[in-house]
Amino acid sequence: MAEVLLEYDESVAVITINDPERRNALTIDLSQELADKVGEAEQNANALIITGAPPAFCAGADLTQLGNSKDEGLKKIYKGFLAVADAKIPTIAAVNGAAVGAGLNLALAADVRIAGPKARFDARFLQLGIHPGGGMTWMLQRITNRQTATAMTLFGQILDADQAVAHGLAYARAEDPLAVAKELARVSAEAPAELVRTIKATMRVTDVLDDHAEAVETELTPQVVSIDTPEFAARLAAMKARISGR
């Protein structure tokens, strides 16, 4: 049985970590398979959703492999969620259950998180006697804030779906997070592929800028390029037709 499934709903790719008996724990092999599937999805879709086979989203790194890992082994375990973090297309984590340790990293690696009723966001590293890795402290502080990140990382606080939304860790709570993620992904799925990738790349650049004028200049060239595309011309014509037909 494949441990990582990749399916397509038109131009939305859905990757499911599929090892429910082990609560979708990340092994070196599974992380490599996940990275490969992310690469495949980038070639064929405009948006990517990551989820886990119930009952968990991802219970973290396989503890046996984690205990035996040094630098290179840890980097191999990181490979899957770092592929999500580096994806050129928009990504959504449909968090349907516990996201623990490296599983929290996987959720944090996505651009947006939708939390299901059974979602739990649990850093867990300190309780295991291990230092966080994979950039967790950086991601968590950027997505939430220093206080929330400290409470989760150093005081063992676990956030449920509603708490995750309240603290900015999740975008929304949903009874069916995968269905909501698919609906959210639809706009990107229906947009011009190159434009989707360009906008995401631009957002990475402007995210670290402090100056508004520099952001304006950063966006100017790709905006001019997009105005000169057949896709924009067609959409503009369709919009004008709708307006004139009212």
Side-chain angles (χ1 to χ4, degrees):
M1 181 176 66
E3 291 185 327
V4 181
L5 306 177
L6 172 58
E7 301 171 303
Y8 293 97
D9 184 350
E10 296 181 354
S11 194
V12 177
V14 179
I15 290 178
T16 304
I17 302 177
N18 185 43
D19 193 0
E21 291 186 2
R22 299 177 57 259
R23 298 178 66 82
N24 305 320
L26 297 176
T27 63
I28 289 174
D29 289 343
L30 189 151
S31 286
Q32 179 62 61
E33 190 177 355
L34 175 56
D36 292 343
K37 290 291 195 297
V38 171
E40 184 178 338
E42 286 182 293
Q43 300 299 316
N44 298 299
N46 269 10
L48 169 62
I49 298 169
I50 305 288
T51 194
F57 175 73
C58 177
D62 178 270
L63 293 179
T64 300
Q65 291 194 357
L66 188 63
N68 293 329
S69 292
K70 301 301 180 184
D71 290 15
E72 290 308 311
L74 288 170
K75 288 178 181 178
K76 290 177 181 177
I77 292 173
Y78 301 162
K79 193 168 186 179
F81 63 75
L82 290 181
V84 176
D86 293 336
K88 296 179 177 61
I89 56 177
T91 56
I92 304 171
V95 183
N96 55 309
V100 182
L104 174 61
N105 282 7
L106 177 59
L108 294 173
D111 297 316
V112 172
R113 284 151 294 284
I114 305 296
K118 295 182 180 180
R120 296 293 183 273
F121 298 87
D122 183 357
R124 192 73 66 90
F125 288 96
L126 183 65
Q127 294 91 315
L128 291 174
I130 184 174
H131 193 284
M136 192 215 78
T137 60
W138 182 82
M139 290 190 290
L140 190 56
Q141 289 184 95
R142 283 173 63 86
I143 292 167
T144 60
N145 53 63
R146 185 177 180 184
Q147 182 170 245
T148 300
T150 299
M152 293 180 67
T153 307
L154 287 171
F155 297 130
Q157 293 300 295
I158 300 169
L159 303 190
D160 63 19
D162 291 327
Q163 291 169 322
V165 173
H167 289 282
L169 179 54
Y171 176 67
R173 181 190 191 277
E175 289 301 311
D176 187 342
L178 181 56
V180 171
K182 286 182 178 180
E183 184 61 29
L184 190 63
R186 194 63 57 198
V187 171
S188 285
E190 295 172 352
E194 187 59 34
L195 181 60
V196 169
R197 287 157 175 77
T198 301
I199 292 174
K200 178 161 181 177
T202 297
M203 291 181 71
R204 290 187 190 276
V205 175
T206 56
D207 181 49
V208 298
L209 298 181
D210 295 320
D211 183 66
H212 188 185
E214 191 175 356
V216 170
E217 287 301 315
T218 299
E219 293 174 348
L220 186 59
T221 297
Q223 186 176 48
V224 170
V225 169
S226 68
I227 289 171
D228 197 31
T229 61
E231 292 87 352
F232 175 70
R235 289 169 186 241
L236 182 61
M239 186 178 297
K240 288 179 177 179
R242 286 197 300 271
I243 293 172
S244 64
R246 288 175 181 174

